[in-house]
Amino acid sequence: GAGVSQSPSNKVTEKGKDVELRCDPISGHTALYWYRQSLGQGLEFLIYFQGNSAPDKSGLPSDRFSAERTGGSVSTLTIQRTQQEDSAVYLCASSRVQEVSGNTIYFGEGSWLTVV
Amino acid sequence: GESVGLHLPTLSVQEGDNSIINCAYSNSASDYFIWYKQESGKGPQFIIDIRSNMDKRQGQRVTVLLNKTVKHLSLQIAATQPGDSAVYFCAENIGGYSTLTFGKGTMLLVSP
């Protein structure tokens, strides 16, 4: 596809269960970001991958959150033992260039996670 | 901690009016700012950006103003249209090699 693809688009899970969210970045994009957006809030940075460099995990809120990026392309965000406060939209973005530039960062439509 | 914030959570305007959305930032080291538009159920879309060596930048129907003295950023939308209804976020960046820090957003509602 032409854009950043995320799946699932919606996920309802029970408290305590693990969830995996997937992001397919735009082909050729070396930078990949995960953000979280709670209802009525701005975007909260979670993690950043750039090429083969060590990821910037400084935004992950707890050790229940982890992310991988295999082969420099697809990324998976995993939330273990989900809590109700994890309910949010999880947005993935990718960029072709390393330097942050607004018109080169493309966002997916997000994965809506509801923890009941 | 330092963060980007917005003065108005909701702005209601009539079609054809000019809209002004404001944003205050507190990190004086930020040197790059972006405005995003987010429609319901979609990811943020880039509107316009500005670097700290500028105080004004114009796009198509949009203008961004940067006042570094008071750490204030604004987005002006001329002749607002119903299709402009969305949540608008400002975001800041330091040095170009870190991530973006987003504000909470302002909902713009345009009435026909």
Side-chain angles (χ1 to χ4, degrees):
Chain A
V4 177
S5 178
Q6 293 188 245
S7 62
S9 54
N10 287 283
K11 175 72 175 179
V12 179
T13 190
E14 292 182 350
K15 178 181 174 181
K17 295 287 181 68
D18 297 351
V19 296
E20 286 189 351
L21 307 176
R22 176 188 170 103
C23 174
D24 279 282
I26 294 172
S27 179
H29 280 197
T30 59
L32 187 147
Y33 310 78
W34 281 99
Y35 282 85
R36 176 170 71 174
Q37 185 176 26
S38 300
L39 187 64
Q41 299 295 314
L43 280 70
E44 174 191 5
F45 165 72
L46 297 177
I47 189 169
Y48 165 63
F49 296 91
Q50 172 56 46
N52 295 320
S53 301
D56 177 355
K57 303 180 181 180
S58 60
L60 295 177
S62 77
D63 58 9
R64 296 187 296 106
F65 288 73
S66 63
E68 291 184 340
R69 189 177 185 194
T70 55
S73 181
V74 172
S75 177
T76 302
L77 176 69
T78 302
I79 308 172
Q80 295 178 309
R81 305 181 301 281
T82 52
Q83 304 294 314
Q84 288 184 328
E85 60 263 29
D86 299 335
S87 297
V89 178
Y90 289 82
L91 288 160
C92 178
S94 72
S95 173
R96 180 178 54 83
V97 297
Q98 180 178 359
E99 182 172 347
V100 171
S101 176
N103 61 357
T104 63
I105 298 175
Y106 297 87
F107 282 85
E109 296 195 343
S111 291
W112 289 75
L113 175 65
T114 303
V115 182
V116 296
Chain B
E2 292 183 308
S3 64
V4 176
L6 295 175
H7 296 305
L8 299 173
T10 304
L11 177 63
S12 298
V13 300
Q14 294 288 322
E15 181 177 3
D17 287 352
N18 295 331
S19 302
I20 300 176
I21 301 171
N22 296 302
C23 176
Y25 67 95
S26 56
N27 192 336
S28 57
S30 295
D31 57 7
Y32 177 56
F33 305 89
I34 307 168
W35 280 101
Y36 283 94
K37 173 185 180 183
Q38 186 177 27
E39 296 176 282
S40 181
K42 296 187 177 181
Q45 290 182 295
F46 169 82
I47 301 174
I48 192 168
D49 59 1
I50 189 167
R51 298 200 177 271
S52 59
N53 60 351
M54 303 173 68
D55 53 21
K56 180 179 180 179
R57 191 163 188 221
Q58 289 184 295
Q60 187 176 10
R61 284 202 304 118
V62 294
T63 301
V64 56
L65 299 177
L66 175 62
N67 186 331
K68 295 180 287 293
T69 302
V70 295
K71 300 188 185 70
H72 185 267
L73 192 69
S74 69
L75 177 70
Q76 300 179 358
I77 305 173
T80 315
Q81 302 168 359
D84 295 328
S85 294
V87 177
Y88 289 80
F89 293 95
C90 62
E92 63 178 328
N93 175 257
I94 303 168
Y97 287 89
S98 62
T99 59
L100 297 169
T101 300
F102 285 81
K104 289 187 176 181
T106 293
M107 169 75 78
L108 177 65
L109 300 174
V110 183
S111 304

